[in-house]
């Protein structure tokens, strides 16, 4: 995705600012407060929403006007050119997204364009500044590897912070073998309480027995109460059945009556159906009688019409010959025209034969190929002949040039060989260079030894001064304690005297220890350093001082000559290859010339031309042969057409004569008169036939209508019979008698339904009364359940009294002893421990998930990211560092130098660590989101780099493909690395002055 236009309505101090035609690598240059940070924030706000008032970010709301917001015009890889506009509205602003096809969307469509990228992730991955590099300086040395790994995973150091916080929280709650963490203390306290509870439990066996009895009685009482509730429910149900029993008796009587009418079958709405059928049959009978009369009248009309069937059978033949009469006249005219064309074609063919001056018969001429492919062959052969001639001249010129170039390069190689130093001379210069380096190393060691001497001498003087001061203080304290001891003895203060004695002993021992530590160690160290200084001075005096610059210049000059010789040898081999290519081209030309000769002979043979004909005339000859062949083909076509026209004229005359002999009583003299007479007779026959067919069609329609009405009539009569069969009768009178009996049965069924509904409303069913034939059976069952209910009540009362006694005994034991209190405290502490364990488990799970996530990232995404980061890092360090390895047992990195030496991250210099960080951040931005290449925004992140590092990192940014780079800077010395049209210069008034410097 690439931003091409920025339009700011109002944002901070900026108002009505337009920046158009942004490049793929765009630089925003301006002094402090020129608006660079404002533009970065504006881009973030348009893409992801204005910061809310609860957030810590600046909102950049205008102070002097009400306009707030603006628009970005971007080019999206899938959506094309898109306009994104956000203005003041709800908390994050009102957004409008307009696509190329005219469709408009909102936040949802913007989120889809950004692939649900949020602002925090975008800032952490694609937008970074100097603070990201400075954070490296704030991390402890042992955590730098973890910091770089976290930056590679999510773009910030959040992983390091989260991991440290989780680890600290876990150790604060529990530590194996620890005492102070919360869980350790609670486990120890719970263990002590458990011992006390078990000891108290042994003394309360009676308490346990009482608890068991109490549980047993509670269960028994619950069962009795449930049985009582069940009996009460059953008794209430019997009372309801007793009230409903009269309805049940009536239902049984209705069922007996209905059994007598079970054999009656009568259709639903039978009488209504019968009346409907009778009303529909009467009009159908009248329609059938009327259709019979109309059919008789049509048959009488048909008998009066005569039709010429013989002429109508030949209708197609007659009409065909009549339509051909105009064609016959055209055929006569066309025959005369073709005769004239044949004379012209024969004359043209004779002229072409005269131009060719070569006899050829018609059969040979037609067999000669004159297609566009043969024409192309002739043209190519003609062109190739001239090309081979030009190629020969060019090869002669190239041969002379390449031969002269080889001679010149060989002379240049001889001159360079004379300038190269011999191996003995190079070895001597190498020894001189080693001696000079050794002398320089000795001078460096001498300087280090001298600095160490000065340091130890200064330290010795400081320690001696401190020892003298300590001796004075010790003497003062010794005299003070002696005086205090003497005074205590005189006053007989024995306790104070004893304390004073102890202090004197401690002071004596400390003084002796200090005196032993004022030592001779410094003297030994100074002596060794003086000896080492003398040795180095002797070595320096034995080495000869050499002008290292002169030696290096001689070696460099020889290396340069050797490189020139090597380059010249390569040029010589390349020139030799070019010379050989010219020789090979000569051989190819000769071979191609021979092939061309064979092709020309085959071409003359294919065109049936004599081989002694000049080559230059082959194109003209081919053109004449083509014209002759085309003229001959045209002549043959005209002859065939002439013959075809004569045959068509004869066919028309024959057909017309046959029809006239059969259908015309008087024969006519001309074809036109015969045709006119046939046409009139056919017209009369067709008119009579149409009238006859019309009458037949009407008769068919009458028969169809009669059949339709008859089917409907028969269908209704059949429906009437079916209705009688359903009722089991054969006449209308019997059908009406059965209808009266069916009406009585339906009345009884309605009463039965009402009684069943009444019983159902009461919550009962007929099946409930099956075992009760009389009402006195209900009363007997009710009395039996009442007696059982009274027995259960007595048993319940007895068990409740026993339970009260047991509860009283348990209360006495609990009030008199500490068991209940200990048990309560144990359960309370156990609950507290479980709650703390849940919290610890939650934190441990989070730490485990974080570790798993890091492992998965390292195995799946990190290798690709590291490969890209290695390429960037190697480029930035000009190949000095070649690999970035992730640690197997942690979340750090190892850096590999080109000599295969490995470094921890904290062992690198600050500048190199910043290069590692930049490489990882750029790799993260270019590999994490491969489908959409988001713009990368950089705000003065390389000001701590020297000139060489700055140049390399800017060159690296210019090589990144697919991502737009927006670089913000206030340093003018960086502008020399960019083209004029890449720079947008800004003023302190937050207005764009110009695009380019």
């Amino acid at each position: 995705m690439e931003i091409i236009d920025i339009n700011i309505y109002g944002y901070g101090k900026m108002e009505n600012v337009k920046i158009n035609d942004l490049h793929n690598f765009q630089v925003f240059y301006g002094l402090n407060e020129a608006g660079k940070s404002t533009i970065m924030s504006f881009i973030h706000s348009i893409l992801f929403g204005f910061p809310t008032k609860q957030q810590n970010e600046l909102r950049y709301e205008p102070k002097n006007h009400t306009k707030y917001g603006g628009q970005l015009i971007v080019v999206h890889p899938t959506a094309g050119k898109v306009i994104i506009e956000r203005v003041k509205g709800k908390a994050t602003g009102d957004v409008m997204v307009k696509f190329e096809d005219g469709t408009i969307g909102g936040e949802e469509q913007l989120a889809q364009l950004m692939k649900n990228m949020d602002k925090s992730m975008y800032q952490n991955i694609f937008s970074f500044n100097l603070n990201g590099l400075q954070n490296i300086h704030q991390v402890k040395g042992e955590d730098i590897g973890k910091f770089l790994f976290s930056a590679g995973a999510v773009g910030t150091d959040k992983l390091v912070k989260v991991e440290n916080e989780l680890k600290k929280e876990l150790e604060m709650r529990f530590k194996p073998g620890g005492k102070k963490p919360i869980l350790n203390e609670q486990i120890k306290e719970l263990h002590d309480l458990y011992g006390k509870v078990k000891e108290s439990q042994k003394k309360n066996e009676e308490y346990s027995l009482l608890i068991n009895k109490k549980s047993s009685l509670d269960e028994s009482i619950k069962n009795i109460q449930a049985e009582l509730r069940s009996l009460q429910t059953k008794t209430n149900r019997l009372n309801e059945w007793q009230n409903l029993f009269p309805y049940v008796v009536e239902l049984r009587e209705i069922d007996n009556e209905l059994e007598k009418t079970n054999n009656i079958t009568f259709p639903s709405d039978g009488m209504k159906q019968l009346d409907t059928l009778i009303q529909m049959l009467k009009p159908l009978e009248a329609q059938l009688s009327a259709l019979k009369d109309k059919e008789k009248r049509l048959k009488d009309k048909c008998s009066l019409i005569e039709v010429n069937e013989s002429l109508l059978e030949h209708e197609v033949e007659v009409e065909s010959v009549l339509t051909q009469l105009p064609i016959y006249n055209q055929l006569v005219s066309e025959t005369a025209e073709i005769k004239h064309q044949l004379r012209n074609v024969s004359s043209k063919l004779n002229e072409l034969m005269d131009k060719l001056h070569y006899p050829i018969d018609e059969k040979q001429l037609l067999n000669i190929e004159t297609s566009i492919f043969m024409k192309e062959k002739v043209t190519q052969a003609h062109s190739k002949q001239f090309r081979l001639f030009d190629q020969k001249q060019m090869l002669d010129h190239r041969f002379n040039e390449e031969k002269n170039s080889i001679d010149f390069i060989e002379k240049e190689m001889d001159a360079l060989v004379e300038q190269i130093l011999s191996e003995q001379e190079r070895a001597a210069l190498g020894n001189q260079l080693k001696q000079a380096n050794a002398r320089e190393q000795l001078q460096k060691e001498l300087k280090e030894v001298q600095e160490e001497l000065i340091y130890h001498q200064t330290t010795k003087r400081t320690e001696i001064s401190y020892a003298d001061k300590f001796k004075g203080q010790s003497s003062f304290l010794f005299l003070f304690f002696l005086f205090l001891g003497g005074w205590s003895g005189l006053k007989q203060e024995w306790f104070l005297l004893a304390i004073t004695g102890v202090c004197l002993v401690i002071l004596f021992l400390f003084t002796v220890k200090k005196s032993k530590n004022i030592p001779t160690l410094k003297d030994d160290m100074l002596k060794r350093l003086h000896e080492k200084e003398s040795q180095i001075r002797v070595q320096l005096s034995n080495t000869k001082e050499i002008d290292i610059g002169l030696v290096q210049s001689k070696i460099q000059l020889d290396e340069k000559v050797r490189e020139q010789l090597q380059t010249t040898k390569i040029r010589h081999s390349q020139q030799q290859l070019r010379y050989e290519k010219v020789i090979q081209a000569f051989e190819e030309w000769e071979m191609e010339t021979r092939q061309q000769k064979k092709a020309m002979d085959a071409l003359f043979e294919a065109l049936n031309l004599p081989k002694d004909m000049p080559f230059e005339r082959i194109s003209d000859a081919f053109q004449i042969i083509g014209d002759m062949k085309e003229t001959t083909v045209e002549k043959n076509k005209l002859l065939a057409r002439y013959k075809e026209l004569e045959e068509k004229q004869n066919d028309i005359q024959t057909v017309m004569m046959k029809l006239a002999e059969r259908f015309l009583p008087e024969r006519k003299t001309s074809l036109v008169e015969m045709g006119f007479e046939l046409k009139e007779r056919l017209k009369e026959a067709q008119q009579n036939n149409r009238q006859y067919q019309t009458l037949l069609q009407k008769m068919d329609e009458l028969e169809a209508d009669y059949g339709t009405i008859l089917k409907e009539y028969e269908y209704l009569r059949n429906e009437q019979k079916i209705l009688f069969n359903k009722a089991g009768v054969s006449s209308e009178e019997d059908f009406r008698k059965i209808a009266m009996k069916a009406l009585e049965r339906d009345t009884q069924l309605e009463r039965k339904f009402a009684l069943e509904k009444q019983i159902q409303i009461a919550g009962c069913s007929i099946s409930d009364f099956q075992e009760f034939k009389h009402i006195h059976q209900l009363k007997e069952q009710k009395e039996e359940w009442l007696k059982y209910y009274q027995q259960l009540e007595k048993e319940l009362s007895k068990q409740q009294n026993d339970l009260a006694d047991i509860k009283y005994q348990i209360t006495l034991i609990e009030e008199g002893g500490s068991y209940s209190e200990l048990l309560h405290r144990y359960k309370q502490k156990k609950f507290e421990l479980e709650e703390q364990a849940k919290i610890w488990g939650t934190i441990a799970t989070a730490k485990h998930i974080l570790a798993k996530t890091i492992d998965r990232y390292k195995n799946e995404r990190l290798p690709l990211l590291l490969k890209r980061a290695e390429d960037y890092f190697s480029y930035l360090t000009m190949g000095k560092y070649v690999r970035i390895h992730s640690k197997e047992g942690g979340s750090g990195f190892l850096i590999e130098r080109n000599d295969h030496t490995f470094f921890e991250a904290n062992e690198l210099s600050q500048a190199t660590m910043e290069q590692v960080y930049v490489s990882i951040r750029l790799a993260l931005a270019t590999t994490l989101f491969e489908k959409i290449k988001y713009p990368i925004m950089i705000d003065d992140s390389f000001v701590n780099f020297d000139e060489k590092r700055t140049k390399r990192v800017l060159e690296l940014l210019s090589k990144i493909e697919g991502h737009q780079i927006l670089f913000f800077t206030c340093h003018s010395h960086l502008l020399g690395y960019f083209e004029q049209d890449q720079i947008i210069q800004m003023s302190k008034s937050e207005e764009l002055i110009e695009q380019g410097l």
Side-chain angles (χ1 to χ4, degrees):
M1 187 177 78
E2 183 177 350
I3 301 172
I4 57 175
D5 290 335
I6 299 175
N7 187 2
I8 303 175
Y9 304 155
Y11 199 79
K13 295 181 180 179
M14 288 189 171
E15 181 181 3
N16 296 328
V17 174
K18 292 184 179 180
I19 306 174
N20 301 325
D21 300 327
L22 296 182
H23 291 76
N24 193 43
F25 195 135
Q26 191 67 60
V27 180
F28 292 84
Y29 167 71
L31 301 179
N32 293 333
E33 299 184 4
K36 302 184 299 298
S37 299
T38 305
I39 291 178
M40 281 188 69
S41 176
F42 174 78
I43 295 173
H44 291 155
S45 297
I46 297 300
L47 293 178
F48 304 104
F50 300 130
T52 61
K53 294 182 179 179
Q54 289 75 24
Q55 294 174 334
N56 295 327
E57 296 183 53
L58 293 175
R59 285 177 54 83
Y60 287 94
E61 287 191 76
K63 302 294 185 182
N64 301 324
H65 50 84
T66 58
K67 291 187 295 184
Y68 184 36
Q71 67 175 208
L72 296 177
I73 301 178
V74 303
V75 177
H76 195 272
T78 57
K81 190 174 182 181
V82 182
I83 299 174
I84 305 171
E85 182 181 50
R86 190 182 296 272
V87 295
K88 187 174 183 180
K90 55 186 180 181
T92 59
D94 294 334
V95 68
M96 181 187 72
V97 182
K98 187 174 182 181
F99 297 91
E100 277 188 317
D101 58 2
T103 58
I104 296 176
E107 290 286 0
E108 183 178 352
Q109 285 70 27
L110 180 57
Q112 292 175 358
L113 284 177
M114 300 300 292
K115 296 297 181 183
N116 294 316
M117 168 75 69
D118 61 21
K119 186 175 183 179
S120 176
M121 182 179 291
Y122 184 85
Q123 288 177 330
N124 291 333
I125 296 175
F126 298 99
S127 178
F128 56 96
N129 52 28
L130 186 61
N131 293 333
L133 300 178
Q134 289 176 343
N135 285 339
I136 295 182
H137 303 177
Q138 301 169 4
V139 180
K140 295 180 180 179
E142 61 271 15
D143 291 335
I144 288 178
K146 291 184 177 181
F147 174 84
L148 293 175
F149 179 84
S150 179
V154 297
T156 66
D157 59 345
K158 288 183 179 179
L159 282 183
V160 175
K161 294 179 181 178
V162 172
E163 185 180 16
N164 291 336
E165 289 175 1
L166 291 176
K167 183 178 179 182
K168 183 178 179 182
E169 186 70 20
L170 286 175
E171 290 179 352
M172 187 176 70
R173 293 181 179 278
F174 176 75
K175 185 183 293 184
K179 295 181 180 180
K180 291 185 179 181
I182 299 172
L183 282 173
N184 293 87
E185 292 179 352
Q186 289 183 343
I187 290 171
K188 184 178 183 303
E189 186 176 356
L190 188 65
H191 183 268
D192 295 341
L193 274 175
Y194 181 73
K196 293 179 181 179
V197 169
K198 296 301 282 185
E199 183 179 353
S200 177
Q201 189 177 8
K202 293 177 182 178
K203 299 178 182 179
N204 289 276
E205 294 180 359
E206 181 183 357
Y207 180 81
S208 298
L209 293 174
L210 290 173
I211 290 295
N212 292 335
K213 287 181 181 181
K214 177 179 174 294
S215 299
S216 178
L217 283 173
D218 284 336
E219 185 67 25
S220 178
I221 288 171
K222 287 180 181 178
N223 292 336
I224 293 172
Q225 289 175 342
E227 185 69 20
L228 286 172
R229 287 193 296 271
S230 177
L231 283 172
Q232 185 65 41
T233 302
K234 291 178 179 179
T235 304
N236 294 335
R237 178 64 66 184
L238 282 178
N239 291 331
E240 292 178 1
W241 290 357
Q242 189 173 354
N243 296 330
L244 294 172
F245 202 77
Y247 298 144
V248 175
V249 172
E250 186 179 354
L251 272 174
R252 289 171 180 173
E253 292 175 355
I254 291 173
D255 288 338
N256 293 332
E257 291 294 328
L258 288 173
E259 287 179 0
K260 298 176 183 180
T261 58
N262 282 340
N263 57 348
I264 296 176
T265 57
F266 189 78
S268 178
D269 295 335
M271 287 304 299
K272 185 177 180 181
Q273 293 181 37
L274 179 63
D275 294 339
T276 302
L277 289 172
I278 291 172
Q279 291 176 1
M280 294 173 69
L281 284 169
K282 289 180 180 180
L284 293 177
E285 292 173 352
Q287 291 179 12
L288 288 173
S289 177
L291 288 173
K292 279 286 186 182
D293 295 339
K294 194 172 183 180
E295 183 180 11
K296 184 177 180 303
R297 290 194 298 270
L298 289 174
K299 286 181 179 179
D300 295 339
K301 289 182 179 180
C302 285
S303 62
L304 300 176
I305 298 174
E306 294 183 4
V307 179
N308 190 347
E309 297 290 343
S310 177
L311 182 59
L312 290 175
E313 288 176 0
H314 293 79
E315 178 182 0
V316 176
E317 189 176 358
V318 173
E319 288 181 348
S320 175
V321 75
L322 290 175
T323 56
Q324 289 181 353
L325 285 177
I327 297 175
Y328 178 81
N329 296 328
Q330 293 178 2
L331 292 174
V332 173
S333 301
E334 190 175 354
T335 302
E337 178 65 24
I338 288 176
K339 285 182 180 180
H340 177 71
Q341 291 179 5
L342 279 171
R343 287 193 294 270
N344 294 336
V345 168
S346 299
S347 176
K348 181 179 179 182
L349 190 59
N350 293 329
E351 291 177 2
L352 292 172
M353 289 289 289
D354 293 339
K355 287 183 181 179
L356 185 62
H357 291 294
Y358 180 73
I360 183 170
D361 60 17
E362 183 176 332
K363 185 176 180 181
Q364 290 177 338
L365 179 65
L366 293 176
N367 289 331
I368 295 174
E369 183 181 358
T370 57
S371 64
I372 58 173
F373 301 105
M374 179 59 73
K375 184 177 181 180
E376 183 68 20
K377 283 183 180 180
V378 172
T379 304
Q380 289 179 355
H382 191 269
S383 301
K384 191 172 183 180
Q385 191 69 23
F386 286 103
R387 183 176 61 80
L388 288 172
F389 178 76
D390 294 338
Q391 188 177 1
K392 176 67 168 58
Q393 292 181 335
M394 183 188 69
L395 287 174
D396 291 338
H397 179 70
R398 283 184 60 192
F399 177 81
N400 294 330
E401 284 185 348
E402 302 300 340
K403 187 68 174 66
N404 294 333
S405 297
I406 287 178
D407 295 340
F408 177 78
I409 293 173
E410 288 177 350
K411 291 179 182 178
E412 188 176 348
M413 287 172 59
D414 295 339
L416 289 172
V417 169
E418 293 177 357
Q419 298 178 22
I420 294 176
L421 295 176
S422 64
E423 295 298 328
Q424 294 80 5
E425 292 173 336
R426 281 186 63 86
L429 289 174
N431 291 332
Q432 291 179 7
L433 187 62
K434 288 181 181 179
Q435 292 176 6
N437 290 332
R439 180 177 178 82
E440 185 178 355
Q441 183 65 27
L442 287 173
Q443 290 175 346
K444 185 177 180 181
E445 290 181 5
L446 178 62
K447 184 178 180 181
E448 291 176 353
V449 170
Q450 290 174 345
E451 290 176 352
E452 193 172 357
L453 268 172
I454 294 171
Y455 170 75
H456 286 295
Q457 288 172 353
T458 304
T459 305
K460 181 179 178 182
R461 287 194 296 269
T462 303
E463 289 179 350
I464 292 173
S465 174
Y466 176 75
D468 293 340
K469 185 178 180 180
F470 177 77
K471 286 180 181 179
Q473 293 174 348
S474 301
S475 300
F476 173 77
L477 289 172
F478 188 75
L479 293 174
F480 173 74
F481 285 126
L482 282 177
F483 173 77
L484 185 61
W487 182 82
S488 301
L490 293 174
K491 298 292 186 179
Q492 296 183 353
E493 295 286 343
W494 309 118
F495 178 73
L496 183 59
L497 180 62
I499 292 175
T500 305
V502 171
C503 291
L504 283 171
V505 172
I506 292 172
L507 181 62
F508 176 74
L509 293 174
F510 186 72
T511 305
V512 171
K513 184 177 180 181
K514 269 293 186 181
S515 63
K516 288 181 179 180
N517 290 337
I518 300 176
T520 60
L521 291 176
K522 290 292 180 183
D523 295 335
D524 294 340
M525 177 63 74
L526 291 171
K527 184 177 179 182
R528 286 197 299 271
L529 291 173
H530 281 298
E531 291 175 356
K532 187 174 181 180
E533 181 184 15
S534 301
Q535 292 174 0
I536 293 173
R537 290 185 182 277
V538 170
Q539 291 177 0
L540 280 173
S541 62
N542 293 332
T543 58
K544 182 180 179 181
E545 189 170 355
I546 299 172
D547 188 354
I548 190 172
L550 180 62
V551 174
Q552 287 179 344
S553 64
K554 288 181 179 180
I555 293 174
Q556 289 175 358
L557 179 61
D558 186 61
E559 288 291 340
K560 185 175 180 181
V561 173
R562 288 174 183 269
E563 289 177 1
Q564 291 177 354
L565 178 60
Q566 187 65 28
T567 304
T568 307
K569 287 180 178 180
I570 294 171
R571 287 170 52 208
H572 182 267
S573 61
Q574 292 174 347
Q575 186 62 38
Q576 188 69 30
L577 288 174
R578 287 195 289 271
Y579 178 74
E580 291 174 357
K581 285 182 180 179
V582 174
I583 300 298
Q584 184 179 0
F586 264 114
E587 295 174 355
E588 291 174 354
W589 178 85
E590 292 175 353
M591 183 181 297
E592 191 174 1
T593 303
R594 289 193 295 271
Q595 292 175 354
Q596 175 68 6
K597 180 66 170 62
K598 292 180 181 179
M600 291 301 300
D601 292 342
L603 197 60
F604 275 103
E605 184 177 355
L607 295 175
N608 201 17
L609 295 174
K611 294 185 179 180
D612 57 352
M613 179 181 285
F615 173 79
E616 293 79 4
R617 290 192 57 196
I618 188 170
S619 296
D620 297 334
F622 177 79
Q623 183 65 37
I624 293 172
I625 289 172
D627 293 341
M628 288 175 62
K629 184 177 179 181
E630 183 179 349
T631 306
T632 303
V633 170
E634 185 181 356
K635 176 183 176 183
N636 293 336
K637 287 182 179 179
L638 289 172
L639 289 172
R641 179 61 177 166
Y642 182 79
K643 184 177 180 181
E644 180 184 356
L645 291 174
E646 283 187 336
E647 290 177 355
K648 287 182 178 180
Q649 290 179 46
N650 294 332
D651 291 342
I652 294 172
Q653 289 176 356
T654 303
V655 173
M656 181 62 76
M657 294 302 294
K658 287 181 180 180
L659 291 173
E661 289 176 358
R662 184 169 184 178
F663 297 109
L664 296 178
E666 295 180 1
R667 189 156 180 189
K668 305 297 180 180
T669 57
S670 66
L671 289 177
V672 176
E673 291 177 352
M674 285 187 268
F676 179 77
E677 185 66 24
L678 279 173
K679 184 176 181 182
E680 291 298 323
R681 290 182 178 275
L682 178 62
K683 184 176 180 182
E684 181 181 357
Q686 288 175 341
Q687 185 175 1
N688 292 337
N689 185 51
R690 281 195 295 271
Q691 292 177 0
Y692 184 78
Q693 294 298 328
T694 301
L695 293 174
L696 289 178
Q697 184 178 2
K698 289 182 179 179
M699 289 175 65
D700 291 339
E701 290 175 357
L702 284 176
E703 289 178 0
D705 293 342
Y706 184 83
T708 302
I709 295 172
L710 183 61
K711 287 180 181 179
E712 187 176 356
Y713 179 80
E714 291 175 351
Y715 172 77
L716 292 175
R717 292 290 293 176
N718 187 47
E719 287 293 316
Q720 191 178 41
K721 290 179 182 180
I722 292 172
L723 188 61
F724 289 165
N725 291 334
K726 287 181 180 179
V729 298
S730 58
S731 65
E732 181 179 349
E733 183 179 358
D734 294 337
F735 186 82
R736 294 185 183 278
K737 289 178 181 179
I738 292 295
M740 295 299 295
K741 293 180 180 181
L743 181 60
E744 293 176 1
R745 183 189 61 186
D746 293 342
T747 304
Q748 288 179 339
L749 286 173
E750 289 178 0
R751 177 57 183 168
K752 179 182 179 182
F753 176 76
L755 292 173
E756 289 176 345
K757 189 70 175 177
Q758 188 69 26
I759 294 171
Q760 186 179 1
I761 291 172
C764 302
S765 64
I766 300 299
S767 60
D768 295 336
F769 298 90
Q770 289 179 356
E771 58 180 313
F772 302 108
K773 302 298 182 182
H774 302 284
I775 194 168
H776 64 81
Q777 292 177 328
L778 288 170
K779 294 179 180 178
E780 291 174 357
Q781 183 67 54
K782 182 178 177 181
E783 291 175 357
E784 182 181 347
W785 284 349
L786 185 59
K787 290 178 182 179
Y788 183 55
Y789 185 86
Q790 292 172 351
Q791 292 176 3
L792 288 176
E793 280 186 332
K794 291 179 182 179
E795 181 65 24
L796 178 62
S797 177
K798 179 178 177 301
Q799 291 188 9
Q800 286 176 341
N801 291 332
D802 294 342
L803 180 62
D805 292 339
I806 290 172
K807 286 183 177 179
Y808 177 71
Q809 295 176 26
I810 290 173
T811 303
L812 291 177
I813 293 173
E814 289 179 347
E815 288 178 353
S818 61
Y819 177 76
S820 60
E821 182 181 351
L822 288 172
L823 185 62
H824 175 73
R825 286 177 56 198
Y826 174 75
K827 290 183 178 180
Q828 181 66 28
K829 292 296 181 183
K830 185 179 179 182
F831 174 77
E832 293 175 358
L833 177 63
E834 290 173 350
E835 292 298 315
Q836 288 294 333
K838 288 179 182 178
I839 298 173
W840 183 87
T842 302
I843 299 172
T845 302
K847 189 174 182 295
H848 177 72
I849 292 173
L850 178 61
K852 286 290 185 182
T853 304
I854 291 174
D855 290 340
R856 182 177 178 185
Y857 176 81
K858 287 175 67 177
N859 295 331
E860 296 180 4
R861 302 289 299 187
L862 189 60
L864 179 61
L865 185 142
L866 284 183
K867 181 63 177 67
R868 186 71 58 83
E870 287 171 356
D871 295 340
Y872 292 162
F873 186 47
S874 177
Y875 182 85
L876 291 177
T877 59
M878 292 182 288
K880 183 176 181 181
Y881 295 93
V882 294
R883 294 286 185 276
I884 302 175
H885 301 274
S886 61
K887 289 185 178 179
E888 293 294 334
S891 57
F893 286 117
L894 289 175
I895 312 299
E896 182 182 352
R897 201 165 59 189
N898 56 9
D899 59 356
H900 305 296
T901 303
F902 291 86
F903 297 91
E904 293 277 355
N906 60 338
E907 294 175 336
L908 300 173
S909 66
Q910 294 292 345
T912 307
M913 280 194 296
E914 290 183 2
Q915 287 178 320
V916 175
Y917 175 76
V918 170
S919 301
I920 292 175
R921 284 298 300 272
L922 290 177
L924 182 68
T926 56
T927 58
L928 188 58
F929 292 88
E930 297 180 354
K931 292 185 178 179
I932 293 188
K933 306 291 186 180
Y934 296 100
I936 298 175
M937 291 190 283
I938 304 171
D939 186 9
D940 265 344
S941 296
F942 316 123
V943 294
N944 292 330
F945 287 176
D946 56 28
E947 182 179 356
K948 186 184 294 183
R949 284 187 171 95
T950 302
K951 182 179 179 181
R952 296 296 289 181
V953 73
L954 292 178
E955 289 176 352
L956 175 61
L957 289 176
S958 65
K959 293 177 181 294
I960 292 177
E961 298 180 355
H963 288 273
Q964 183 183 26
I965 308 295
L966 303 180
F967 184 66
F968 298 83
T969 183
C970 62
H971 297 278
S972 58
H973 67 276
L974 298 179
L975 301 182
Y977 296 104
F978 304 103
E979 300 293 336
Q980 294 294 331
D981 58 351
Q982 290 181 294
I983 302 171
I984 293 177
Q985 202 170 59
M986 305 174 66
S987 70
K988 277 197 172 185
S989 62
E990 288 79 17
E991 293 180 354
L992 194 64
I993 296 178
E994 58 181 349
Q995 186 166 342
L997 294 176

